[in-house]
Amino acid sequence: MTQKDKPAIQIGSVESDPAVSIEVTKNGPYRVHGTPPLHVSVITQNSEGQSWSYQEGQAFALKDGDMLCRCGHSKNKPYCDGSHLKAGVDLTETASFAPLLEGATEIDGPTISLTDNETYCAFARFCDNGQRFWNEVQMPGEAHVKLAIYEAHHCPSGRLMVWDNATRKPIETAEPASLSLIEDPGEGVSGPLSLRGGIRVQSASGESYEIRNRQTLCRCGASSNKPFCDGSHASVKFEDGLNK
């Protein structure tokens, strides 16, 4: 890959080892390059019934070149078993290659601000804690700042980002590259494939999407923003059977 061809990296994000990446195959599954860890990640709730943390579940072995289902119909999830060939699910990529921040709105608070691109919402609902993320950012006091940062960092899709008003830089935490299969017992559904740690996602066209610390890829086949999750798994009641 030449310097000219290198994908954009979102401000505040750190690219993973280039040997690790996800390739979106045309009308087919995700091809994993490298051997990042893959495990189930269960959304757990607090005493108020809101999404609060993740509990690590079953781990899955990955070999370089393994295929992961993105049509939602494989009988061998999370791996592809070829079901997309007969499932009749339209897996055409529709997401923009533009930086996520180009479509984001901004809300400013006393010491921190937020950016929010709703198109990438994965419906994990960590943002509903406290007075809700959008209000917490605007409230003075360290407790509100800490909660807002916590909520943003638990947003798996990267839709939400918190910015330091003094430096005008995002408050992000570098993480090792990892993949997780989100399970959401609160909604009784299975969620997207979560990518953390700046993993590159390559379109079937060969072009790479912007590299970001937090991303979520559709596993149910119903997203209108493929390959990224848009929360459709909740409305179609997608279940992968991995958290039974």
Side-chain angles (χ1 to χ4, degrees):
M1 183 179 295
T2 66
Q3 184 71 31
K4 181 180 178 180
D5 294 331
K6 284 189 175 180
I9 301 175
Q10 186 181 67
I11 182 173
S13 293
V14 178
E15 183 179 8
S16 71
D17 179 346
V20 177
S21 65
I22 299 294
E23 176 188 352
V24 184
T25 65
K26 186 175 181 179
N27 299 318
Y30 300 116
R31 179 181 286 116
V32 180
H33 294 278
T35 56
L38 172 66
H39 60 267
V40 168
S41 191
V42 182
I43 296 176
T44 61
Q45 297 181 328
N46 58 17
S47 58
E48 284 74 42
Q50 302 291 356
S51 299
W52 182 250
S53 63
Y54 295 103
Q55 180 178 340
E56 187 171 322
Q58 180 182 359
F60 295 88
L62 280 179
K63 304 185 300 296
D64 184 59
D66 272 353
M67 301 286 200
L68 300 180
C69 175
R70 75 176 177 111
C71 73
H73 289 269
S74 173
K75 302 296 191 298
N76 189 36
K77 298 182 187 72
Y79 308 105
C80 171
D81 68 355
S83 291
H84 59 279
L85 298 173
K86 297 181 179 179
V89 178
D90 185 357
L91 297 178
T92 304
E93 294 173 70
T94 54
S96 170
F97 289 97
L100 179 145
L101 290 173
E102 281 191 8
T105 57
E106 180 176 341
I107 296 179
D108 298 324
T111 58
I112 58 174
S113 299
L114 71 85
T115 51
D116 176 10
N117 189 332
E118 190 175 358
T119 301
Y120 292 83
C121 179
F123 199 62
R125 306 179 310 289
F126 289 93
C127 52
D128 288 337
N129 283 288
Q131 301 299 315
R132 303 190 79 226
F133 175 74
W134 301 268
N135 296 317
E136 292 290 340
V137 168
Q138 300 177 73
M139 294 178 174
E142 185 178 356
H144 294 293
V145 170
K146 285 184 175 180
L147 181 56
I149 294 172
Y150 180 89
E151 290 175 313
H153 287 180
H154 280 71
C155 169
S157 70
R159 163 194 175 178
L160 304 174
M161 293 178 67
V162 170
W163 299 69
D164 185 322
N165 288 352
T167 64
R168 293 307 301 162
K169 293 181 179 180
I171 302 172
E172 285 287 322
T173 302
E175 299 183 42
S178 67
L179 307 177
S180 59
L181 306 156
I182 293 182
E183 299 291 337
D184 188 354
E187 285 292 311
V189 298
S190 302
L193 175 66
S194 173
L195 283 58
R196 286 188 174 258
I199 296 174
R200 182 173 67 89
V201 178
Q202 179 178 303
S203 166
S205 70
E207 185 174 355
S208 292
Y209 293 98
E210 177 186 44
I211 292 172
R212 299 187 279 113
N213 279 343
R214 294 172 283 124
Q215 305 178 82
T216 47
L217 301 182
C218 174
R219 286 200 297 143
C220 69
S223 173
S224 60
N225 191 39
K226 295 182 182 71
F228 301 104
C229 172
D230 70 352
S232 290
H233 56 273
S235 59
V236 301
K237 300 299 180 183
F238 173 62
E239 293 186 61
D240 60 16
L242 299 179
N243 195 40
K244 301 299 183 182

